[in-house]
């Protein structure tokens, strides 16, 4: 009888602990963040993957385990171009996502890779607090997306054979530009274009489907394009290719969370922005070293050549974008005010 009582007492004492653990387990929320870039660790590899891993670690620590984030690199969770739509529907929680990839669903997102509109990091970073940044944030929220962390990257051109430096060099080349607007500029300069994610650039160059790839310095490195290239036009000093590549979050997921967790996500996102910009700038230098070591000819754009590209862009991409809608025209006008 005593044993039975002891067992009952032990069971009774244990029960609240078990219930408490169960309660904590139910309270924990697991979020999934997807991106197309190669995976690594929190300390090594593509800085965009590292940024996602830092975001996950900081969120878990500061929420005391109430929020956990699983990182899925290399489009391992879902295909690259599906990620934006999945966030809008609440089927994906977060993504570090190239803004122009979303242009098919939200035309205004193409301003995130408008050729020659942004030509320096200082100008790019100023967008967030400027009217253009507030307007873009407002547009995205109306489409079901929350901008968590702003990241900008300069880009360069990796070419299989002859350099793509000035507009006159584009004639006859098959070029991957990264956005509809970039393609419009390249076509005006005489190139044929192909629309593929940067993660498919290596295969396109390897097969000869593409002669030149314009993408971020980090992607030029991560996708090993120096192995196939004889020349690089670097974006280190100045560039007509600046992409907004932020951490985005599904508004459906975001609004399911309590206010303190929403605030924590936004605070950590803002804290990580300097890490993102430092990573992008470091890769602008590193890409030159890697391509030089591989035997490629490396050049930086001068101000005169950048101006030539800007003239072509204004007559094509800028004009086309502004003509899409009053919202696009307003966004472009606001962006031009940031110098």
């Amino acid at each position: 009888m005593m044993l039975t009582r002891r067992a009952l007492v032990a069971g009774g004492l244990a029960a609240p602990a078990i219930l408490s653990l169960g309660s904590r387990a139910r309270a924990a929320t697991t979020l999934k963040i997807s991106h197309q870039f190669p995976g690594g660790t929190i300390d090594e590899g593509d800085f965009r993957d590292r940024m996602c891993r830092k975001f996950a670690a900081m969120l878990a620590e500061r929420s005391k385990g109430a929020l956990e984030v699983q990182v899925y690199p290399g489009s391992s969770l879902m295909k690259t171009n599906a990620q934006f739509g999945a966030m809008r529907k609440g089927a994906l929680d977060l993504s570090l996502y190239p803004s122009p990839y979303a242009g098919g669903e939200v035309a205004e997102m193409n301003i995130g890779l408008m050729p020659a509109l942004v030509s320096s990091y200082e100008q790019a970073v100023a967008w967030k607090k400027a009217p253009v940044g507030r307007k873009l944030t407002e547009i995205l929220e109306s489409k079901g997306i929350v901008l968590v962390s702003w990241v900008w990257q300069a880009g360069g051109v990796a070419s299989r054979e002859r350099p793509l430096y000035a507009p006159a060099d584009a004639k006859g080349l098959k070029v991957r530009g990264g956005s509809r607007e970039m393609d419009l500029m390249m076509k005006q300069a005489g190139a044929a274009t192909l629309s593929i994610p940067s993660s498919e650039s290596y295969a396109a160059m390897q097969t000869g489907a593409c002669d030149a790839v314009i993408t971020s310095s980090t992607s030029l490195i991560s996708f090993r394009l120096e192995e196939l290239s004889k020349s690089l036009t670097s974006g280190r000093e100045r560039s007509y290719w600046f992409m907004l590549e932020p951490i985005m979050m599904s508004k459906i997921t975001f609004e399911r969370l309590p206010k303190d967790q929403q605030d924590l996500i936004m605070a950590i996102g803002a804290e990580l922005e300097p890490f993102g910009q430092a990573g992008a700038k470091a890769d602008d230098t590193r890409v030159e070293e890697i391509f030089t070591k591989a035997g490629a000819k490396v050049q930086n754009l001068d101000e005169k050549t950048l101006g030539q590209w800007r003239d072509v862009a204004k007559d094509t991409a800028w004009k086309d974008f502004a003509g899409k809608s009053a919202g696009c025209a307003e966004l472009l006008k606001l962006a031009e005010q940031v110098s």
Side-chain angles (χ1 to χ4, degrees), residues 164 170 172-196 209-212 214:
L164 174 51
L173 293 179
K174 294 170 285 189
V175 179
R176 183 270 180 191
S179 74
R180 182 177 184 276
E181 281 66 28
M182 197 65 64
D183 289 349
L184 286 171
M185 181 181 74
M186 284 294 154
K187 285 176 184 175
Q188 181 66 22
T193 60
L194 68 162
S195 178
I196 55 170
C210 184
D211 298 312
I214 316 175

Side-chain angles (χ1 to χ4, degrees), residues 128-166:
K128 182 179 179 179
K129 294 181 180 179
V132 64
R134 295 196 294 272
K135 184 65 178 177
L136 191 58
T137 299
E138 177 188 308
I139 290 167
L140 276 174
E141 287 192 2
S142 74
K143 302 296 183 180
I145 298 290
V146 176
L147 271 177
V148 173
S149 193
W150 289 64
V151 182
W152 285 88
Q153 290 190 268
V157 192
S159 303
R160 277 165 49 98
E161 297 293 339
R162 60 185 172 90
L164 174 51
Y165 184 76

Side-chain angles (χ1 to χ4, degrees), residues 1-12:
M1 196 68 177
M2 291 291 290
L3 283 171
T4 306
R5 283 200 189 96
R6 282 180 189 150
L8 285 169
V9 170

Side-chain angles (χ1 to χ4, degrees), residues 29-104:
T29 300
T30 300
L31 305 173
K32 295 178 179 179
I33 183 166
S34 174
H35 65 75
Q36 67 169 315
F37 309 106
T41 68
I42 199 166
D43 296 315
E44 293 185 5
D46 189 305
F47 86 83
R48 295 164 297 195
D49 178 68
R50 292 176 59 208
M51 187 168 177
C52 291
R53 293 178 192 278
K54 283 180 177 289
F55 177 80
M58 291 168 72
L59 201 53
E61 180 184 357
R62 293 201 201 167
S63 70
K64 296 180 169 56
L67 285 172
E68 296 180 357
V69 180
Q70 297 174 347
V71 181
Y72 293 85
S75 299
S76 55
L77 184 64
M78 63 180 64
K79 290 182 179 179
T80 302
N81 290 330
Q83 293 174 30
F84 185 76
M87 283 188 288
R88 294 183 69 194
K89 296 170 188 171
L92 175 64
D93 302 312
L94 297 123
S95 178
L96 194 152
Y97 199 71
S99 57
Y101 289 14

